[in-house]
Amino acid sequence: MIEKLNNILLRIEDFLLSYITVAMAILLIANVFFRSILNNSLSFAEELGGFFLVTVTFWGISTAARFNNHINMNAIIDNMPFKIRKVMMIVISLFTFIVTAYLGYLFVLYALDALKVSRISTALEIPMVIINMILAIGIIITALQYLLIFIKNITTKDVIYVGSQAKTENGIDILFEADFKEYQSDHSEETKEGSSDV
């Protein structure tokens, strides 16, 4: 059940991040055109582009945590024996979950504070509570990713999960679960075809 929800969340993240990135690019290119050619820049473009950038950044943290694509300093961990690396990953994921969950809590409080004073943006007059809640959701989803990493590491023995869908075995090569499942299905089909030919 948790894996199904995590995969649904991945599809939502991919959809939002890709389309927001495209929308941001179109908006900024259009603003350059209006400012350079028509000498009349779009008054809302900079503000909306900033909102898009912040949204992509904070929602992208969750995707980075999912696939272990964030900046890592693995020189010490990668040279440790397997069991020590496993323990270190459990401690790191638990600590990161606690920190990001607390940050998510602070973001929610900040959003509620913006709601109380009815704070709005300058150009578009968007209620700032909406923007702040988007950031809070991004941080909370990131916290859930690190919680999943922690749970998977304490419930498995032979692999180390460095992301909720990225794991490493005895070597330091990382296997992405989605790709690995596709590889297994392709490999099993090839095996069936080979056995039928024999």
Side-chain angles (χ1 to χ4, degrees), residues 142-157:
T142 305
L144 293 176
Q145 291 300 318
Y146 281 104
L147 179 61
L148 275 175
I149 296 168
F150 171 74
I151 292 171
K152 286 187 172 186
N153 276 316
I154 62 173
T155 55
T156 57
K157 292 182 179 180

Side-chain angles (χ1 to χ4, degrees), residues 40-137:
N40 186 16
S41 64
L42 302 172
S43 59
F44 62 88
E46 189 174 340
E47 185 177 283
L48 188 58
F51 290 156
F52 283 160
L53 180 62
V54 170
T55 303
V56 167
T57 301
F58 278 82
W59 278 68
I61 297 171
S62 171
T63 303
R66 180 191 299 273
F67 293 110
N68 192 42
N69 286 335
H70 47 74
I71 296 173
N72 287 322
M73 291 181 284
N74 293 339
I76 297 174
I77 296 177
D78 289 344
N79 291 305
M80 293 287 181
F82 180 83
K83 290 183 179 179
I84 296 175
R85 278 194 292 142
K86 180 84 166 176
V87 172
M88 289 178 73
M89 200 62 219
I90 290 170
V91 172
I92 290 169
S93 58
L94 179 61
F95 176 76
T96 310
F97 162 68
I98 293 169
V99 171
T100 49
Y102 181 66
L103 285 174
Y105 168 73
L106 293 179
F107 266 102
V108 170
L109 291 182
Y110 185 68
L112 294 176
D113 181 59
L115 180 63
K116 285 180 185 177
V117 297
S118 301
R119 194 177 300 142
I120 58 174
S121 64
T122 308
L124 294 171
E125 298 185 355
I126 298 173
M128 290 303 293
V129 64
I130 296 173
I131 307 301
N132 294 330
M133 284 306 294
I134 289 172
L135 305 185
I137 291 168

